[in-house]
Amino acid sequence: MHKLAVYCGANAGQDPAYAEATILLGKTMAERNVDLVYGGGRLGLMGIIADTVLEHGGQVHGVIPEMLKDLEVAHRGVTELHIVANMHERKAKMTDLTDAFVALPGGVGTMDELFEAWSWNALGYHNKPFAILNIAGYWDAMIVFLDKMTEQGFVSADRRKQLIISDNIADCLDRLAAACTTEAGSFTW
């Protein structure tokens, strides 16, 4: 795994554990020579992950829509900043640039990005692994709901197992890296 897309909030959230874990993830990525691919912002967890990777000698590839750049939320200090027309192009470009995806705490945009990566995988647009880094139990309620979707037959057990869930940064990165080296399986909805 050479490049990791990190989906996360443009806010830091209420629990300091979110920022602390984001900093640790950024340091760990830089130590492992894993480039960051992210939404290109300078605010919240997005800014924290970018700043941390850069501070520790890593490479950062931001992808931001023109509208957000014009609102002056773009991070101007990243290694490479791609400016795209809209959110659809942003997600497609991030998918093209990365080897894997991980979601940290975030809002509607973070969920949208995670689920789009998952559904694009299901449809065969890519075979890249994806994960949730469950910091301080942030994603617990959603994980329960995903299990209910599986129990009710809307998501197959195999498809559900594709989503890597971990509360440990090293474990999460190790599992994503291992999944990058395996062939995508044949799954049903």
Side-chain angles (χ1 to χ4, degrees):
M1 180 172 64
H2 303 289
K3 292 182 179 177
L4 177 62
V6 176
Y7 300 138
C8 58
N11 293 301
Q14 299 298 315
D15 190 334
Y18 306 148
E20 292 166 8
T22 301
I23 290 168
L24 183 56
L25 175 61
K27 287 179 184 178
T28 306
M29 288 174 64
E31 289 169 1
R32 292 182 180 206
N33 294 314
V34 175
D35 289 4
L36 170 65
V37 175
Y38 86 119
R42 62 176 173 78
L43 305 174
L45 297 181
M46 291 176 68
I48 291 169
I49 189 79
D51 289 342
T52 304
V53 170
L54 289 167
E55 288 168 11
H56 290 86
Q59 302 290 305
V60 175
H61 310 274
V63 183
I64 195 162
E66 183 77 35
M67 178 191 75
L68 293 178
K69 179 198 70 95
D70 292 345
L71 292 173
E72 299 183 3
V73 298
H75 193 306
R76 298 297 183 171
V78 298
T79 310
E80 180 178 46
L81 183 63
H82 300 270
I83 299 169
V84 296
N86 54 51
M87 293 297 284
H88 295 292
E89 287 184 22
R90 177 198 228 178
K91 292 183 283 186
K93 183 68 171 178
M94 289 177 70
T95 299
D96 288 343
L97 289 173
T98 196
D99 299 315
F101 311 87
V102 66
L104 302 179
V108 181
T110 301
M111 291 178 63
D112 172 55
E113 292 167 326
L114 172 66
F115 282 107
E116 187 160 291
W118 196 354
S119 65
W120 284 12
N121 176 281
L123 295 170
Y125 292 124
H126 70 78
N127 65 349
K128 300 171 183 183
F130 39 91
I132 290 174
L133 189 54
N134 194 21
I135 300 166
Y138 181 80
W139 295 107
D140 286 351
M142 190 184 75
I143 294 165
V144 169
F145 182 67
L146 293 172
D147 291 339
K148 181 172 182 136
M149 292 170 71
T150 301
E151 291 167 8
Q152 295 300 311
F154 290 102
V155 176
S156 72
D158 285 342
R159 177 84 49 217
R160 171 63 183 81
K161 288 176 189 171
Q162 282 185 292
L163 177 62
I164 296 166
I165 299 172
S166 182
D167 60 2
N168 179 280
I169 290 167
D171 171 69
C172 186
L173 293 177
D174 290 345
R175 291 168 65 191
L176 283 168
C180 283
T181 62
T182 61
E183 291 295 318
S186 174
F187 298 97
T188 59
W189 287 96

